[in-house]
Amino acid sequence: MKQQIKKFLVLSLLIVVCACLSVACTPKRKELAVPASLRIVDEVLMWDEVENAEGYVVDIDGIEYETVNNNLDIFLITSAPKAYTIKVTALGDYKNYISSAWSQTIQHEIKLLKGWGLRSINNNTAYEIGVTDKKEIKGKMVIPAFHPISSIVNCAFIGCTELTSILIPDTIKAIGSSTFEGCTNLKRVKLPFYLETIESNLFYECSSLYDVVFPSSVKNIKGRAFYCSALKNITLPEGLESIGVNVFGNCSKLESIVLPSSLKKIEEDFFNYCESLTSIIVSKGNTVYKSDGDCLIRISDNALIAGCKTSVIPDY
């Protein structure tokens, strides 16, 4: 019995010694630096890069978003008119570095803009939006998702040069022609989910517009809808059937475009003055058009419909 107790004590001592040696040999993990200089530029949250960080977690009003880069696009996240509280932590690898403490918080306020109103239609069963004072339309605009609001009138926001971005709720099913024409500081737009037609001149001469969130419901884009020199890359949604005259005219910074397999009709000159265009791609399955050598070709007669600065015209 004494021999067994002695063996047990020796074994216990060895386990304690090994554990102490293991702890002594394990390098102490360092805590990462706290993310600093939080700022928001064009609705992208940015902060200084933290050395040795594996990624970051952004907390916006208690909801966490992970990112591997020291930035996060919050255009769609901040989709309600209110003040948002934001903070960031840097993630460690849990071997050599542990995650940082949370950064200082910043506030980002989205205001419910004044200067617009509602007009009743269809025997007061629905309403459409119009602008009453263009001077009040400034910065980011979030239109409330009230069910009776079904449309935006023609030319509603025309010439609202201090409007920088707009989120249009999915309750709206129609947007009139030239609605945002001449909104020269408009940069980002989220179109509503059920919108089927993008009317003519909708974003004509919106010279700062570079980001458009297309809904999958869009079937038609009418003439000169995106006469916007700042657009760089466009992927049009599946379900789109027709593109009107000069839709992407004067998009001098447009570098690439992806056309969906559903596209059936393209009017002439829709790439007019797109001097930076280097890539034209037609999605597989399109029975009317195809892309070859960065050329847009009509399948029925092998006619070249449009080219770009890198086009190689096929022998056929």
Side-chain angles (χ1 to χ4, degrees), residues 53-121:
E54 292 288 303
Y56 304 89
V57 173
V58 179
D59 183 296
I60 302 178
D61 285 352
I63 301 175
E64 295 184 349
Y65 304 87
E66 290 192 21
T67 174
V68 295
N69 302 312
N70 58 319
N71 59 73
L72 179 70
D73 190 338
I74 62 172
F75 172 54
L76 296 178
I77 296 173
T78 54
S79 59
K82 67 174 188 174
Y84 294 85
T85 301
I86 303 173
K87 59 184 178 179
V88 181
T89 182
L91 298 176
D93 58 7
Y94 301 103
K95 293 181 181 179
N96 301 308
Y97 298 94
I98 61 175
S99 298
S100 73
W102 286 101
S103 70
Q104 291 185 339
T105 60
I106 64 169
Q107 296 288 319
H108 182 54
E109 185 177 4
I110 305 298
K111 297 180 179 180
L112 182 60
L113 298 184
K114 300 177 182 178
W116 61 281
L118 302 178
R119 183 173 68 187
S120 64
I121 56 175

Side-chain angles (χ1 to χ4, degrees), residues 253-304:
K253 293 183 180 178
L254 183 64
E255 296 174 352
S256 66
I257 187 164
V258 178
L259 302 172
S261 61
S262 55
L263 191 60
K264 299 176 182 178
K265 183 180 180 182
I266 299 174
E267 299 287 353
E268 61 184 22
D269 295 335
F270 77 111
F271 282 147
N272 221 8
Y273 301 110
C274 294
E275 58 193 37
S276 299
L277 190 64
T278 58
S279 176
I280 301 173
I281 298 173
V282 179
S283 299
K284 291 182 179 180
N286 193 305
T287 58
V288 181
Y289 301 102
K290 65 179 180 179
S291 51
D292 188 351
D294 287 315
C295 296
L296 177 63
I297 298 169
R298 187 168 56 216
I299 294 173
S300 62
D301 56 359
N302 283 332
L304 193 151

Side-chain angles (χ1 to χ4, degrees), residues 116-191:
W116 61 281
L118 302 178
R119 183 173 68 187
S120 64
I121 56 175
N122 298 332
N123 295 321
N124 297 325
T125 59
Y127 295 86
E128 57 186 7
I129 293 174
V131 171
T132 58
D133 187 353
K134 293 181 182 180
K135 294 179 181 179
E136 296 286 350
I137 307 297
K138 301 178 181 179
K140 181 175 184 175
M141 183 171 189
V142 176
I143 299 175
F146 298 144
H147 181 68
I149 303 176
S150 60
S151 62
I152 302 177
V153 300
N154 295 346
C155 307
F157 293 90
I158 191 169
C160 290
T161 56
E162 294 188 62
L163 178 67
T164 59
S165 64
I166 186 165
L167 287 166
I168 304 174
D170 295 338
T171 51
I172 291 179
K173 297 181 180 180
I175 303 174
S177 61
S178 298
T179 293
F180 300 104
E181 182 176 333
C183 294
T184 52
N185 281 304
L186 182 63
K187 297 176 181 178
R188 311 190 68 180
V189 174
K190 182 260 181 187
L191 295 171

Side-chain angles (χ1 to χ4, degrees), residues 181-283:
E181 182 176 333
C183 294
T184 52
N185 281 304
L186 182 63
K187 297 176 181 178
R188 311 190 68 180
V189 174
K190 182 260 181 187
L191 295 171
F193 184 77
Y194 298 105
L195 185 69
E196 292 189 0
T197 299
I198 295 177
E199 295 290 349
S200 60
N201 300 318
L202 187 60
F203 299 104
Y204 187 80
E205 294 291 2
C206 290
S207 54
S208 299
L209 184 65
Y210 70 87
D211 181 25
V212 180
V213 180
F214 289 95
S216 58
S217 55
V218 171
K219 294 182 179 179
N220 309 292
I221 303 177
K222 294 188 177 181
R224 296 172 299 280
F226 293 98
Y227 206 86
C228 310
S229 57
L231 280 175
K232 284 190 174 182
N233 303 291
I234 298 173
T235 298
L236 296 170
E238 282 296 336
L240 180 66
E241 297 178 358
S242 69
I243 295 177
V245 174
N246 223 356
V247 161
F248 299 107
N250 204 39
C251 291
S252 58
K253 293 183 180 178
L254 183 64
E255 296 174 352
S256 66
I257 187 164
V258 178
L259 302 172
S261 61
S262 55
L263 191 60
K264 299 176 182 178
K265 183 180 180 182
I266 299 174
E267 299 287 353
E268 61 184 22
D269 295 335
F270 77 111
F271 282 147
N272 221 8
Y273 301 110
C274 294
E275 58 193 37
S276 299
L277 190 64
T278 58
S279 176
I280 301 173
I281 298 173
V282 179
S283 299

Side-chain angles (χ1 to χ4, degrees), residues 31-46:
E31 183 175 333
L32 292 173
V34 177
S37 300
L38 272 65
R39 62 226 183 246
I40 297 171
V41 180
D42 290 341
E43 299 185 75
V44 176
L45 174 69
M46 301 178 180

